[in-house]
Amino acid sequence: MSSSDRSQAVGVKTYEVRTYGCQMNVHDSERLSGLLEDAGYVRAPEGTREGDADVVVFNTCAVRENADNRLYGNLGRLAPMKASRPGMQIAVGGCLAQKDRDTIVKRAPWVDVVFGTHNIGKLPVLLERARVQEEAQVEIAESLEAFPSTLPTRRESAYAAWVSISVGCNNTCTFCIVPALRGKEKDRRPGDILAEVEALVAEGVSEITLLGQNVNAYGSDIGDREAFSKLLRACGSIEGLERVRFTSPHPRDFTDDVIAAMAETPNVMPQLHMPLQSGSDTVLKAMRRSYRQERYLGIIEKVRAAIPHAAITTDIIVGFPGETEEDFEQTLHAVREARFSQAFTFQYSKRPGTPAATMEGQIPKEVVQARYERLVALQEEISWEENKKQVGRTLELMVAEGEGRKDGATHRLSGRAPDNRLVHFTKPDQEVRPGDVVTVEITYAAPHHLLAEGTVLDVRRTRAGDAWEKRNLKKAEQEDKPAGVLLGLPKIGVPEPLPLATTGCGCD
């Protein structure tokens, strides 16, 4: 009997959370998992067949044109499975739920619960109400009920964690629907944030990522324009906290005091992900981005002067309505000048409900594709050149889990450098755990990763590695226990590299 079947046999209800969209959704999903486990559910084991979990939660994104098609396609596949399994429940939350509300139940009447971005804490209550009343529950709060970080959580990593410092956004970018769905910016109190960080460190976490829709605007809601730089410096005094990152800042709010705090706080990593979106002043104005190319490149210059080894990554949209060839050439110019270590490039797609969706001058698909390919080729060249500069450097890596797809075949392990570059390194003779720190010399560079093919110079066992080991041992013990006590612990691993999570929530 499988672990899933054993759970069913003793009445243990399992759950599955499917996450789409940005890093804020990832953060919310950890809270949804924590809430469900607090309510007595257990996570469906890895390998569980689709439709076998008792509760399936979709945490949705609304920033892509085909977001609803993707959701309804998934819901359609589950409909016959739900019909054949009395008691199975389906919930839809996140940005698309906030936007579409009653439409979801009309198009997919087999959905049991619809909840929004402001009331994720209500999910267990809504599921129970739907079960008792035998009808769909749709509850969309118009304002934030509780910061997600104050809710129970089931973190995906034993050694790295997201920490939300604000929710919402005060910007009005014409391509972005996020402010309409998550509301105006609301900041957490610094003491609450630092208390959460200290609690995480006490659990063994050694790397935290400060998270906000517009993270460096932090303080606007509490009346302190230097609140973000003060928060970075305060993180520097927390013993045991080795790495601090943040995402994503907006160039408009990127001030000199933040650059100084990054440079002067040892555990703030030399990494910056700052969306450019376009290099054309004309397009930036149409996007309602409150900076221009000169301002953006000036920030890059200041960061590099203060932090010479900083790796800077970005987001760029190609084919925004009205973009001319000259506008696109300005984007290529900005990319050449900025020399990003990596750029996450997107072909513009209409976001329903945004001003840009109805603008004149929508660019033909074939033109957008051709420009996109030119931009990608240029950035690949720059990424490789910048990575080659790392060859010969000695770096400390935090060992990661699951980031090297070929590690088993190549007898390597993988880790992240301080600047967040991915490094694959030769597996040492001694035991190395995710969360531990190794020192290596870089021997080879590819556009998207580095290699350290020599002998590992040093291995430092850490409290973070201890936390990973303890969690894995607990998981193994629970899997060996008799039916009825299955905990269904989630997969363990560092959160996805931050830039990879910024695929579209465009308030950045």
Side-chain angles (χ1 to χ4, degrees):
M1 181 183 291
S2 71
S3 56
S4 178
D5 292 336
R6 288 190 298 156
S7 298
Q8 297 296 326
V10 295
V12 178
K13 290 188 176 182
T14 59
Y15 76 89
E16 174 191 0
V17 178
R18 302 187 190 181
T19 309
Y20 306 100
C22 68
Q23 65 271 22
M24 191 65 77
N25 276 26
V26 176
H27 177 270
D28 286 350
S29 287
E30 291 187 338
R31 271 62 195 174
L32 292 170
S33 296
L35 285 161
L36 290 169
E37 294 192 12
D38 245 25
Y41 297 85
V42 298
R43 186 159 177 168
E46 286 186 57
T48 299
R49 294 174 303 179
E50 184 177 37
D52 275 2
D54 295 296
V55 173
V56 180
V57 182
F58 292 90
N59 190 9
T60 64
C61 173
V63 301
R64 292 294 180 199
E65 187 176 16
N66 64 349
D68 55 346
N69 293 333
R70 186 177 188 184
L71 171 66
Y72 293 116
N74 286 323
L75 291 175
R77 284 202 307 275
L78 288 180
M81 302 174 194
K82 187 174 189 296
S84 65
R85 288 192 57 210
M88 179 184 177
Q89 291 185 296
I90 300 172
V92 179
C95 289
L96 194 63
Q98 187 80 23
K99 182 173 77 75
D100 286 357
R101 306 179 182 227
D102 296 326
T103 304
I104 292 173
V105 173
K106 289 177 181 177
R107 292 185 60 177
W110 54 93
V111 169
D112 298 276
V113 171
V114 179
F115 62 101
T117 59
H118 298 309
N119 61 328
I120 66 174
K122 290 288 187 66
L123 176 60
V125 172
L126 294 172
L127 287 168
E128 180 64 13
R129 192 186 299 164
R131 185 187 66 80
V132 172
Q133 298 183 5
E134 297 184 342
E135 64 179 12
Q137 302 296 309
V138 179
E139 188 169 307
I140 306 292
E142 296 301 332
S143 60
L144 188 69
E145 294 184 349
F147 273 101
S149 294
T150 65
L151 300 172
T153 185
R154 167 57 69 193
R155 289 187 293 106
E156 292 298 309
S157 171
Y159 50 90
W162 310 102
V163 176
S164 176
I165 69 171
S166 65
V167 295
C169 181
N170 293 335
N171 293 321
T172 57
C173 302
T174 54
F175 56 81
C176 182
I177 199 170
V178 171
L181 303 180
R182 289 194 177 265
K184 293 291 185 181
E185 180 178 326
K186 187 171 180 59
D187 297 333
R188 292 178 72 192
R189 294 292 168 181
D192 294 340
I193 297 168
L194 294 171
E196 181 182 354
V197 174
E198 290 170 350
L200 288 167
V201 172
E203 294 174 6
V205 168
S206 60
E207 175 176 311
I208 61 106
T209 300
L210 302 176
L211 185 62
Q213 227 70 59
N214 180 7
V215 70
N216 61 320
Y218 176 75
S220 62
D221 184 47
I222 56 179
D224 184 354
R225 289 184 59 82
E226 295 189 353
F228 185 60
S229 62
K230 292 175 183 175
L231 184 62
L232 291 177
R233 292 182 187 276
C235 287
S237 64
I238 297 176
E239 186 176 354
L241 180 59
E242 298 196 18
R243 295 187 173 190
V244 177
R245 306 186 191 277
F246 58 89
T247 194
S248 287
H250 191 294
R252 183 194 68 181
D253 301 299
F254 208 91
T255 49
D256 291 349
D257 62 297
V258 172
I259 297 173
M262 291 176 65
E264 296 165 10
T265 310
N267 64 355
V268 175
M269 294 295 96
Q271 173 220 347
L272 175 64
H273 180 77
M274 188 165 65
L276 168 66
Q277 305 301 10
S278 174
S280 162
D281 289 353
T282 302
V283 173
L284 289 170
K285 183 177 180 180
M287 288 178 167
R288 234 181 265 159
R289 302 284 287 179
S290 49
Y291 58 88
R292 299 296 177 257
Q293 182 190 114
E294 183 179 4
R295 157 76 171 154
Y296 185 95
L297 294 177
I299 294 171
I300 301 296
E301 185 177 354
K302 287 181 179 179
V303 170
R304 290 222 165 95
I307 314 167
H309 289 299
I312 300 173
T313 58
T314 197
D315 294 335
I316 300 173
I317 297 172
V318 178
F320 188 80
E323 180 187 75
T324 65
E325 178 62 23
E326 183 180 354
D327 292 326
F328 179 66
E329 287 290 345
Q330 283 299 307
T331 294
L332 297 180
H333 171 74
V335 168
R336 293 187 189 100
E337 291 294 311
R339 299 198 64 79
F340 301 112
S341 60
Q342 202 166 2
F344 299 87
T345 53
F346 308 98
Q347 297 185 37
Y348 172 77
S349 62
K350 293 181 180 180
R351 276 78 158 177
T354 63
T358 56
M359 283 183 175
E360 295 182 358
Q362 301 287 328
I363 311 298
K365 172 66 178 175
E366 61 272 16
V367 175
V368 177
Q369 181 67 34
R371 289 177 183 170
Y372 174 80
E373 291 173 0
R374 288 163 60 194
L375 176 59
V376 168
L378 172 62
Q379 183 56 50
E380 286 280 298
E381 179 184 329
I382 292 172
S383 294
W384 200 355
E385 289 173 355
E386 292 300 307
N387 273 1
K388 286 176 182 177
K389 295 176 183 178
Q390 304 298 309
V391 174
R393 291 189 66 197
T394 299
L395 300 175
E396 277 197 338
L397 312 179
M398 182 175 289
V399 182
E401 184 176 47
E403 292 211 57
R405 290 176 297 174
K406 299 179 181 178
D407 282 352
T410 57
H411 303 289
R412 294 184 179 125
L413 297 175
S414 298
R416 289 277 166 180
D419 65 9
N420 210 35
R421 282 183 166 94
L422 178 63
V423 182
H424 306 302
F425 62 95
T426 302
K427 188 174 182 179
D429 294 333
Q430 65 194 102
E431 180 189 26
V432 179
R433 307 161 302 177
D436 287 340
V437 174
V438 299
T439 304
V440 301
E441 181 178 330
I442 303 303
T443 58
Y444 175 80
H448 302 292
H449 69 268
L450 303 171
L451 292 182
E453 300 166 298
T455 302
V456 170
L457 303 178
D458 183 61
V459 174
R460 175 164 60 86
R461 293 173 68 87
T462 65
R463 291 171 60 254
D466 294 343
W468 178 90
E469 186 172 25
K470 181 179 179 181
R471 185 187 278 198
N472 258 15
L473 287 172
K474 184 178 180 181
K475 178 182 178 181
E477 289 170 1
Q478 295 298 339
E479 289 177 345
D480 289 339
K481 286 184 178 181
V485 293
L486 179 69
L487 291 185
L489 290 173
K491 181 179 178 181
I492 301 159
V494 72
E496 284 294 312
L498 296 175
L500 298 183
T502 61
T503 54
C505 274
C507 268
D508 332 317

